[in-house]
Amino acid sequence: MIQAVGEDALLISFGDAIDSALPGQIAALCQRIEALELPWLVDLVPSYTTLLVIYDPVAVNVFEARARLRPLIDSQPETIGPATNAQQGRLIELPVYYSQETGPDLAWMAEHTGLSSQQIIERHTAETYQVYAIGFAPGFGFMGQVDPSIACPRKDTPRTQVPAGSVGIANRQTAVYPKASPGGWQLIGRCPTQLFDEVNLSLLRVGDKVRFVAIGKDEFLAQGGQL
Amino acid sequence: MKELGAISSELRAISPTLRVLSPGIKATVQDQGRQGIRHHGLARGGVLDLRSAAWANKLLDNERNAACVEIVLGGFQAEALSACEVSVTGARADVTVNGKPVGMWQSLQLAPGDKLAIGHSRNHRLIYLAVRGGFKTREWFGSHSVVEREALEGAGPLQAGDLLPAGSHEPIQGAPRIAPPQAWQWLEQSPVLGLIPGYQHHQFRSADLRRLVTSQYQVSDDSDRMGYRLAGSPMADPPPGIVSEGIIPGAVQIPGDGQPIALLADCQTIGGYPKPGVIASLDCGLLAQQLPGSEITFEWTDTLTAQNRRRLFERQYQQTVWSENGRSPHWR
């Protein structure tokens, strides 16, 4: 379904509910649109269930833009069933130093979930996550789904300063803060990998898959992690 | 004295043209914003009032997308370090060169040592300062626009002592230019903002939608380049949040308290608040120009009308030519 948004965007919807099959499909459509090198294309913003296509309204009107995109959507590969290889995305491993000193909410989460810190870490690293959206801040990837047993609500009062690299959980989502910023997610560890820089931009893309790998303090520091 | 960010080596050859003596409350370098980067979580950025910025450039034969200084509420002062031509557009304010009053919406010649002072704006918020050739400050992602909230290295508001290089030191030909009335007349109109209904429109209660276009909203103090919070008769029963999706400047979000937030150039790239519609791009500039406490109203419009208004503006702008005396530009 394609709908006009304001005077310079079209929103393509892939479904109503969050579904791990959608990011791959959305990323594949992004690639197909980019391949056309449309001179009026300004930006593509994929998110959980949608792709926002931003165009130059002086170069094309809403009918032309929609007509150009329609055939791509109609010929999308089967939307039900297993993803094709092209839709699989990359698998990215992110090292995390899980500890009380880098994960100040581990103790609270243990109390909240009735699990030990070690069990929380094991469940967080057991899952392969899907990158559903990039937003909030440059390079901030919203990933899911976190195992229900370690899903925790956001903090009632957000922290004014979350250190760069902090790994957090909010309900069934997890993310790494690319930069120090205010934030309300429950922090369980810290990742030494740069998630955003001005040359390579965001490390994560919608459609990528991510696994977290537990590392020790020495390795965290050796990889450039900051305490 | 510090240079504004790391200016690339090829631009280093260009000597600085203006030195900021006082930035006022806030001033940032802006062009039309960035392209092709929003999927990285980077904002579009760019001038809030596209018409005033475009005319500031037009007066100097600059490219449409040349970088200007966007000055919030005035109070900006600068000294020319070399001969240059500038223009000041947007919110009305007293402008002087070496203490002598000069006009807005016209080209101005500055000699080395001249001091340009822009007073405090009266009825509106944003003033644009352009220089012949555009300001050649550092670029991020192909744009000169500064998005303060991203806290990128070197990307902040202007400070006293900052040096601003211009892209050209060649004077424009002929007499000083004066912008035609259509360049600024719209700014004096009462702020009625065209709202293009969004696809979530039908999820709102009809009484709440009527309220949106029949009540007056006040621009709150909590208004910046990310968005303006509006205060008025709140929606009684806005729909619940949605799965976060891409959002654009101009989108009107309704959070749980029922008071609209109009998103602007530096807004986030995705969001989950329900949206009854999106403000037409020209009217985003009219909203951005309103001072805290000013009242605005919404009226429904549609995508094609908004697109045609935008195209008409661009057509008039592109086709305005300057006659030799600079004073009677006409629309071909």
Side-chain angles (χ1 to χ4, degrees), chain A residues 105-176:
Chain A
D105 297 319
L106 267 177
W108 180 86
M109 278 183 61
E111 205 173 307
H112 182 82
T113 60
L115 300 168
S116 68
S117 293
Q118 193 50 41
Q119 285 172 314
I120 291 170
I121 295 162
E122 279 164 13
R123 292 184 192 191
H124 191 250
T125 51
E127 199 72 41
T128 300
Y129 300 98
Q130 184 71 245
V131 179
Y132 283 100
I134 308 287
F136 171 67
F140 187 103
F142 291 84
M143 296 176 253
Q145 301 265 41
V146 166
D147 189 277
S149 65
I150 59 168
C152 286
R154 286 175 174 79
K155 296 182 79 67
D156 289 337
T157 308
R159 288 186 170 84
T160 53
Q161 188 81 333
V162 171
S166 292
V167 179
I169 286 178
N171 302 313
R172 295 200 60 196
Q173 300 194 91
T174 184
V176 184

Side-chain angles (χ1 to χ4, degrees), chain A residues 30 42 47 151 175 183 199 221:
Chain A
C30 281
V42 174
S47 187
V199 177
L221 294 172

Side-chain angles (χ1 to χ4, degrees), chain B residues 4-23:
Chain B
L4 182 65
I7 295 164
S8 71
S9 55
E10 97 190 62
L11 292 173
R12 234 171 252 288
I14 301 172
S15 57
T17 307
L18 289 177
R19 178 199 286 131
V20 178
L21 300 175
S22 163

Side-chain angles (χ1 to χ4, degrees), chain B residues 173-176 322-328:
Chain B
Q173 301 299 308
W322 305 101
S323 55
E324 272 176 25
N325 68 10
R327 285 174 183 276
S328 53

Side-chain angles (χ1 to χ4, degrees), chain B residues 164-202:
Chain B
L164 299 169
S168 171
H169 289 263
E170 267 183 46
I172 52 172
Q173 301 299 308
R177 275 89 181 264
I178 296 178
Q182 76 255 24
W184 46 265
Q185 275 170 339
W186 60 273
L187 194 49
E188 309 297 334
Q189 291 164 4
S190 65
V192 179
L193 312 178
L195 189 64
I196 305 160
Y199 75 94
Q200 292 154 29
H201 185 263
H202 66 272

Side-chain angles (χ1 to χ4, degrees), chain B residues 216-234:
Chain B
Q216 295 221 311
Y217 289 93
Q218 241 182 26
V219 175
S220 82
D221 291 338
D222 193 2
S223 300
D224 59 20
R225 287 185 46 87
M226 274 185 80
Y228 285 9
R229 283 178 185 269
L230 304 175
S233 165

